[in-house]
Amino acid sequence: MGTVLIVEDSPAMQRTLRRLFEADLLHVEVAADGPAGLQSFRESPPGAVVLDLKLPGISGKELCREFKALAANIPIVVLSANSDTKDKILLLELGADDYVTKPFSPKELLARVRRAMRRSGPRSAPITQPTEKPHDVLNFGQASVNFTSMEATNGGTAVTLTVQEFKLLKFLASSPGHVFSRDELLNQVWGYTNYPSSRTVDNHVLRLRQSLEPDPANPRFLLTVHGAGYKLVLDAPRARKDTARISPAS
């Protein structure tokens, strides 16, 4: 039985959501404010989070950032009365897996949460428990990206990547040389068939280049195929000394 953590301050909405998920045989935990939600998430990581934006104590946007820093693979579905496109893009770039505007269809919300849980795979181990899994590391040029610890360096200097940037780079690295369209990337990395703006892919690729390419203005690894999409090239022709591969690291 999967667990859904509901972070919502409205008692009426709490009851509605609890009935919805329990009727689908999901276990439900409820937190009425930001600090309680963060504590529950740390003590017992759920299978998914349904997160209201307007919360006392800690805002929904800040909680989204905190949750993804603690356990990036736990899906977050945001609930908000605000249908502004800029807000949706910001939340999704912070790592939210989906965004549902109030008022919503209960069946649609349940379907979106179930889809997010399927995409994330089995629930992660407790946050405090160390993992014995080998690390997945991508090396190219002077850059090194550890997808397990979510750390990256360029020329030995640490660089900061967002959750979505890690996801996008790992997806591109899964099929080096393959050209993915913007729509494919939005669907596979963000989980959307209808996304508010395809420019978000361009913006993420631009930031990855700025963080990891030797010369961001003349990229050698993260390449644009005009009219088609993007690809990751692991054997940049102008750098015989540079290597690019995903390999296990102890």
Side-chain angles (χ1 to χ4, degrees), residues 1-5 26-29 44-49 74 117 123:
M1 179 185 294
T3 298
V4 177
L5 171 61
L26 290 165
H27 179 71
V28 174
E29 295 289 339
S44 182
V49 178
I74 294 179
M117 294 175 76
R123 198 190 76 176

Side-chain angles (χ1 to χ4, degrees), residues 59-109:
S59 72
K61 291 179 182 178
E62 183 60 31
L63 266 187
C64 182
R65 184 183 291 109
E66 291 282 348
F67 289 162
K68 285 299 181 178
L70 288 169
N73 67 322
I74 294 179
I76 298 173
V77 177
V78 172
L79 293 180
S80 175
N82 188 353
S83 60
D84 184 71
T85 298
K86 291 182 180 179
D87 240 15
K88 292 182 181 180
I89 293 174
L90 173 61
L91 263 296
L92 293 167
E93 291 186 350
L94 286 175
D97 296 83
D98 211 337
Y99 189 109
V100 178
T101 304
K102 298 176 183 177
F104 54 85
S105 160
K107 289 184 178 179
E108 179 185 1
L109 175 61

Side-chain angles (χ1 to χ4, degrees), residues 195-210:
Y195 194 75
S197 170
S198 64
R199 291 295 301 173
T200 194
V201 175
D202 303 335
N203 293 337
H204 278 70
V205 171
L206 175 62
R207 289 197 294 267
L208 283 171
R209 288 171 174 165
Q210 291 170 340

